[in-house]
Amino acid sequence: TAVGSIYAEASSLWTVANSSNSLVRYTGGAALFVVTAAASTTMSSNDGTTQITASGLTDLSTGSRKRACAFGGSTFSVTGDGVAPTSGAFDGSMGTNTVIAIGCDSGGASQLYGTIKNVRVWQRQLPDQTLRALTV
């Protein structure tokens, strides 16, 4: 959980999140998710200390959309639709263990209520230009 990158294609059944809706989540941190009461045109990442959000993305409720994040060293970033990633200071760990939940958190909460496909997890931090290329 100290270094990595995640990619997923997802769609939602909602336009505004009624709870924290997860695409991919570590226990203690969330790699790709939409914050409660946020629009499906946003994508966030949270390392347990800092939360970053990319906004103005294509609406998840109108079709499958590509989203990605990367973390490691002192920075982490999140993006979609090939736009420049939003970055923040990384606390050194994306979660408390290596449990990865897809479509919800490890306890079954924070459900996406949509579809997820083509999830990919790397054990290295992909550069921002690669994240942009993956999500075009």
Side-chain angles (χ1 to χ4, degrees):
T1 59
V3 62
S5 301
I6 297 175
Y7 167 87
E9 296 173 28
S11 63
S12 69
L13 300 175
W14 43 268
T15 56
V16 175
N18 62 356
S19 65
S20 177
N21 295 284
S22 298
L23 276 68
V24 180
R25 193 176 196 105
Y26 288 92
T27 301
L32 292 170
F33 73 107
V34 178
V35 180
T36 303
S40 61
T41 56
T42 64
M43 186 57 48
S44 296
S45 189
N46 186 325
D47 63 8
T49 303
T50 303
Q51 180 172 295
I52 56 174
T53 301
S55 58
L57 303 175
T58 307
D59 195 331
L60 290 173
S61 71
T62 61
S64 183
R65 308 293 175 214
K66 299 174 181 179
R67 305 293 186 247
C69 70
F71 49 93
S74 62
T75 62
F76 72 130
S77 54
V78 63
T79 191
D81 301 333
V83 301
T86 299
S87 298
F90 183 54
D91 71 4
S93 177
M94 191 51 82
T96 56
N97 59 39
T98 57
V99 173
I100 299 174
I102 298 173
C104 63
D105 67 17
S106 60
S110 300
Q111 295 177 4
L112 175 65
Y113 299 108
T115 62
I116 302 172
K117 63 181 182 178
N118 296 328
V119 175
R120 299 174 188 166
V121 179
W122 292 268
Q123 291 182 315
R124 62 187 174 98
Q125 184 178 17
L126 297 175
D128 284 350
Q129 62 267 28
T130 303
L131 294 181
R132 290 182 78 171
L134 284 170
T135 61
V136 171

